[in-house]
Amino acid sequence: MSVTDPTAWATAMNNLGMVPVGLAGQQLVSDSLCVPGFDPNLSMMTGITPINPMMAGMGLLPPPQLPIVKEIIHCKSCTLFPPNPNLPPPSTRERPPGCKTVFVGGLPENSTDEIIQEVFEQCGDITAIRKSKKNFCHIRFAEEFMVDKAIYLSGYRMRLGSSTDKKDSGRLHVDFAQARDDFYEWECKQRMLAREERHRRKLEVDHLRPPSPPTIMHYSEHEATVLAEKLKDDNKFTEAISVLLTWIERGEVNRRSANQFYSMVQSANSHVRRLMNEKATHEEQMEQAREIYKMELLGILTQFEQIVAVFNASSRQKAWDHFSKAQRKNIDIWRKHCEELRNAHSEQLMGIRREEEMEMSDDDSSDVPSKRARVEDSALAAQAYALKEENDSLRWQLDAYRNEVDLLKQDKGHHARTEESLTKDQQLQFLQQTMQNMQQQLVAMQEELNNKKSELEKAKEEQTHAHALVNVLKEQLKNAKEVPDSNNHDYLAKENGTVNVAVFNHDKEKDSEKQRQALKSEKEALLIGIISTFLNVHPFGANIEYLWSYLQQLDSRISANEIESLLMRLPRMFKQEFTGVGATLEKRWKFCAFEGIKTT
């Protein structure tokens, strides 16, 4: 190609994106492919060569929306001329999966493998070339993306050297080729990816799957002995109790193993005490932490008070006048913020103190006799529970002895009938004696339990009686305060005399003393009528909370203490009974006025 040819010069200038100097006509390359922001008046840019898509390191084809401008490609033994840009692009077949082989047709008749290698090795590494005698060949590359570079050469005219002979030129047609080796490698790669995906999913499933429970060994006497030792160990109790539960659910309990299982269940029951001790220690730790928190909060509040005092001292005129306007504004903002925090912390501390005072008031509200009665009730309940446990344990031992007798009968079946009859008679006599002793023990325990129950009822009656006396004394003290000072001593002497009589005389004198106190108002009379009607339709009685909730619908200002004091003042009309045992102990009031009429 001659340099003096104006057409070639104009083509070269257009490839660089510049309008040729002194030449008229349109650009061969659109402005979209030119250098962005390039000024044509600056002449040629030195050091920049046209972009060759066949250069090493280039990617695949340019974006499809941009028009492709192909150039002349010079090789050592041949030259490749681009096709006419106005013609449509050459057609290709559908790309096979994993394609690494291309079909190249239209080769010159005089082309050799070396020339083909020279032209297509610019696209990438070539693994094989299979040339045919009919001017076509198949080229296999190392990677799939190299095929796209080879397809770019489709449509080029190839000329060997500078010859114009027809056998030295030909138009190349490059297309995808379907090869079994490519398809086999693609299938192997897909299988490998599928294996990796399955392995990855399995790892995810294994990671998300919850851990399987530990294996439970089968029951045997040796394993039962080991498990009994583990149940006594705090560190191994959780594991051992799960094994015991599994054995019982499997049905391992029978007559032969009942004693071992009973001992293991008894060990599990003894763990309850350890748990209660741990709970008590944790509660103590919580109380200590609460005290530490309260002390720390008090220290923080003291520091807040000191900081607020500093702000107040700074706000006085003696120091306030020396600050600037911005400094005064900041001090005022800081003071308000600190006061808000101080007030919030003080309210929190006061709330804690209020809760403690309420707890103390609840503890102090119960009188000394009631406390003693509670202690006695709890002691009696504990004794009753202990007797019940002993009764159950003796019953279980009796069942165990019966099981042993049955086992002995089965084991000694092969002996002679005479010996068997003798041994059975002896065993039966021994077991009858043991059963008689156990029955006697049970009868004695039941009598002791009945005595304890009667003592408990007597203690409850004494408690109610003590409550009534305390209320009488309180009202007598109120009446003594209302008497003038001149008659105060005489009145107190009289009242003390009546109190001594009320304490030491029999029940009739106590009731007459209480009846001497008249009703204070019509409101109390109305309340007595309503309460009597309410309790009359409740033959089993009602607790004070139930009465208070019913009367609050009529008068919202009435309190439970007022109702209870009114009921205690009238023992012939209302009586108090205790129902339940232990934690379910409950006080109920009953209407008993009709019972007094029947007895009289």
Side-chain angles (χ1 to χ4, degrees):
M1 184 181 299
S2 175
V3 180
T4 58
D5 188 2
T7 305
W9 176 249
T11 303
M13 295 291 285
N14 271 322
N15 288 335
L16 290 173
M18 298 180 293
V19 178
V21 181
L23 294 175
Q26 297 293 329
Q27 284 181 280
L28 297 178
V29 183
S30 62
D31 293 334
S32 60
L33 288 178
C34 299
V35 179
F38 178 73
D39 188 1
N41 298 324
L42 295 177
S43 185
M44 294 181 63
M45 297 176 64
T46 59
I48 298 178
T49 58
I51 298 174
N52 186 358
M54 304 301 296
M55 290 173 58
M58 292 295 292
L60 303 180
L61 294 175
Q65 66 270 15
L66 298 176
I68 301 171
V69 178
K70 297 184 177 181
E71 299 178 345
I72 301 173
I73 300 172
H74 297 280
C75 300
K76 293 182 180 180
S77 55
C78 65
T79 305
L80 301 176
F81 296 93
N84 189 359
N86 296 324
L87 295 176
S91 61
T92 58
R93 62 180 296 179
E94 185 180 357
R95 182 168 185 162
C99 180
K100 295 182 182 179
T101 306
V102 295
F103 167 82
V104 182
L107 293 172
E109 293 182 7
N110 296 330
S111 61
T112 60
D113 292 346
E114 289 78 10
I115 296 173
I116 297 171
Q117 177 86 20
E118 180 185 355
V119 172
F120 286 93
E121 69 181 356
Q122 302 179 43
C123 302
D125 296 335
I126 297 173
T127 57
I129 298 176
R130 296 189 297 273
K131 189 174 179 300
S132 177
K133 298 179 180 179
K134 296 182 179 180
N135 301 331
F136 70 89
C137 69
H138 290 85
I139 302 174
R140 190 166 190 264
F141 292 96
E143 299 294 338
E144 293 183 22
F145 70 90
M146 301 174 183
V147 175
D148 298 311
K149 292 184 179 181
I151 295 295
Y152 180 78
L153 297 177
S154 182
Y156 271 80
R157 181 173 291 277
M158 182 178 180
R159 190 176 68 183
L160 303 178
S162 58
S163 175
T164 58
D165 191 3
K166 201 171 185 180
K167 294 183 179 182
D168 293 334
S169 64
R171 184 175 296 278
L172 300 179
H173 175 68
V174 185
D175 197 356
F176 301 108
Q178 189 170 4
R180 286 179 294 180
D181 296 339
D182 298 341
F183 187 71
Y184 176 74
E185 290 183 1
W186 179 80
E187 282 186 340
C188 292
K189 186 176 181 181
Q190 294 300 316
R191 284 194 291 269
M192 181 184 69
L193 294 175
R195 285 196 299 271
E196 292 177 355
E197 181 68 18
R198 286 196 300 270
H199 182 66
R200 185 184 62 80
R201 290 182 181 178
K202 183 180 178 182
L203 290 178
E204 289 180 358
V205 171
D206 293 341
H207 180 69
L208 297 175
R209 181 185 300 147
S212 58
T215 56
I216 305 298
M217 72 287 292
H218 292 283
Y219 171 78
S220 64
E221 293 184 359
H222 174 71
E223 294 293 342
T225 306
V226 175
L227 186 65
E229 295 297 327
K230 288 183 179 179
L231 286 171
K232 298 176 183 178
D233 191 358
D234 294 342
N235 298 325
K236 301 178 181 179
F237 179 80
T238 305
E239 178 185 357
I241 198 70
S242 62
V243 176
L244 179 60
L245 177 62
T246 306
W247 284 355
I248 295 174
E249 290 177 350
R250 285 179 182 174
E252 301 288 347
V253 183
N254 50 32
R255 291 184 178 181
R256 190 181 298 273
S257 61
N259 293 331
Q260 287 184 338
F261 275 98
Y262 171 72
S263 64
M264 288 188 286
V265 172
Q266 193 172 10
S267 300
N269 184 34
S270 64
H271 190 73
V272 176
R273 299 176 183 175
R274 295 197 291 268
L275 294 178
M276 295 303 294
N277 293 333
E278 289 181 3
K279 181 185 176 184
T281 56
H282 291 316
E283 288 178 353
E284 290 178 0
Q285 292 175 1
M286 185 177 69
E287 291 295 332
Q288 293 176 0
R290 188 181 295 174
E291 290 294 329
I292 293 171
Y293 171 71
K294 188 173 70 174
M295 296 302 295
E296 295 293 334
L297 194 62
L298 186 61
I300 292 170
L301 187 60
T302 304
Q303 294 179 10
F304 270 121
E305 293 289 347
Q306 294 174 354
I307 295 170
V308 170
V310 170
F311 284 132
N312 292 331
S314 301
S315 301
R316 293 171 186 166
Q317 190 174 5
K318 186 176 181 180
W320 190 254
D321 295 338
H322 298 286
F323 293 114
S324 63
K325 189 175 181 180
Q327 291 173 347
R328 292 176 185 175
K329 185 177 179 181
N330 290 333
I331 291 172
D332 195 12
I333 293 171
W334 295 339
R335 180 178 59 79
K336 290 179 180 178
H337 182 62
C338 189
E339 286 179 353
E340 290 176 358
L341 293 175
R342 188 269 313 270
N343 294 332
H345 281 77
S346 63
E347 288 178 0
Q348 190 175 3
L349 187 61
M350 290 300 294
I352 295 172
R353 288 178 178 174
R354 267 190 242 108
E355 290 178 358
E356 292 179 352
E357 289 175 359
M358 289 176 66
E359 292 177 358
M360 294 294 292
S361 64
D362 292 339
D363 295 337
D364 295 339
S365 62
S366 58
D367 297 325
V368 177
S370 64
K371 289 182 179 179
R372 291 176 181 174
R374 286 180 186 174
V375 172
E376 292 176 357
D377 293 346
S378 62
L380 291 173
Q383 290 178 1
Y385 183 72
L387 290 172
K388 185 178 179 181
E389 282 192 347
E390 289 180 2
N391 190 6
D392 294 338
S393 63
L394 289 172
R395 190 182 297 115
W396 291 333
Q397 289 179 5
L398 182 60
D399 294 337
Y401 288 144
R402 288 176 181 172
N403 294 333
E404 288 180 358
V405 168
D406 295 337
L407 290 173
L408 289 172
K409 289 179 180 179
Q410 292 177 3
D411 292 338
K412 295 185 178 181
H414 60 278
H415 291 294
R417 292 182 179 180
T418 56
E419 294 179 358
E420 184 178 1
S421 60
L422 291 173
T423 54
K424 282 185 178 180
D425 292 337
Q426 293 176 359
Q427 290 174 2
L428 286 174
Q429 289 177 1
F430 176 73
L431 290 173
Q432 285 176 359
Q433 291 177 1
T434 55
M435 287 177 66
Q436 289 177 0
N437 294 330
M438 287 182 182
Q439 287 176 357
Q440 292 175 1
Q441 290 179 1
L442 287 173
V443 170
M445 287 181 182
Q446 287 178 356
E447 291 178 355
E448 187 177 356
L449 183 60
N450 294 329
N451 295 331
K452 296 293 182 181
K453 287 182 179 178
S454 61
E455 290 177 2
L456 180 61
E457 291 178 358
K458 290 179 182 179
K460 290 177 182 177
E461 292 178 358
E462 291 177 359
Q463 181 184 359
T464 55
H465 184 62
H467 275 299
L469 285 177
V470 169
N471 291 327
V472 170
L473 290 174
K474 285 183 180 178
E475 294 203 356
Q476 288 176 359
L477 288 174
K478 288 181 182 178
N479 295 330
K481 289 180 181 178
E482 293 176 358
V483 175
D485 294 335
S486 61
N487 299 326
N488 203 2
H489 295 288
D490 297 336
Y491 182 76
L492 287 173
K494 292 178 182 178
E495 292 295 331
N496 289 330
T498 58
V499 169
N500 292 327
V501 170
V503 172
F504 295 104
N505 286 349
H506 51 80
D507 294 338
K508 291 183 180 179
E509 292 179 355
K510 293 175 190 174
D511 297 337
S512 64
E513 183 67 25
K514 291 177 183 177
Q515 288 177 355
R516 261 181 271 153
Q517 298 178 356
L519 298 176
K520 292 183 179 180
S521 62
E522 295 180 359
K523 179 181 177 182
E524 291 185 355
L526 182 62
L527 283 175
I528 289 171
I530 295 171
I531 293 170
S532 300
T533 307
F534 182 80
L535 292 177
N536 192 24
V537 299
H538 290 78
F540 297 103
N543 55 14
I544 197 69
E545 287 82 6
Y546 189 20
L547 277 170
W548 177 57
S549 64
Y550 176 74
L551 293 174
Q552 255 200 337
Q553 298 176 1
L554 305 175
D555 187 3
S556 60
R557 292 176 295 177
I558 195 168
S559 63
N561 294 328
E562 185 178 354
I563 298 169
E564 190 171 8
S565 63
L566 182 62
L567 295 174
M568 287 182 177
R569 283 166 52 194
L570 301 170
R572 285 195 174 185
M573 293 183 67
F574 308 104
K575 67 178 180 179
Q576 191 178 20
E577 292 184 355
F578 290 84
T579 60
V581 178
T584 60
L585 190 66
E586 185 181 11
K587 295 189 293 185
R588 291 178 178 268
W589 286 94
K590 289 186 177 181
F591 182 68
C592 62
F594 294 153
E595 296 177 1
I597 292 172
K598 291 176 182 178
T599 55
T600 57

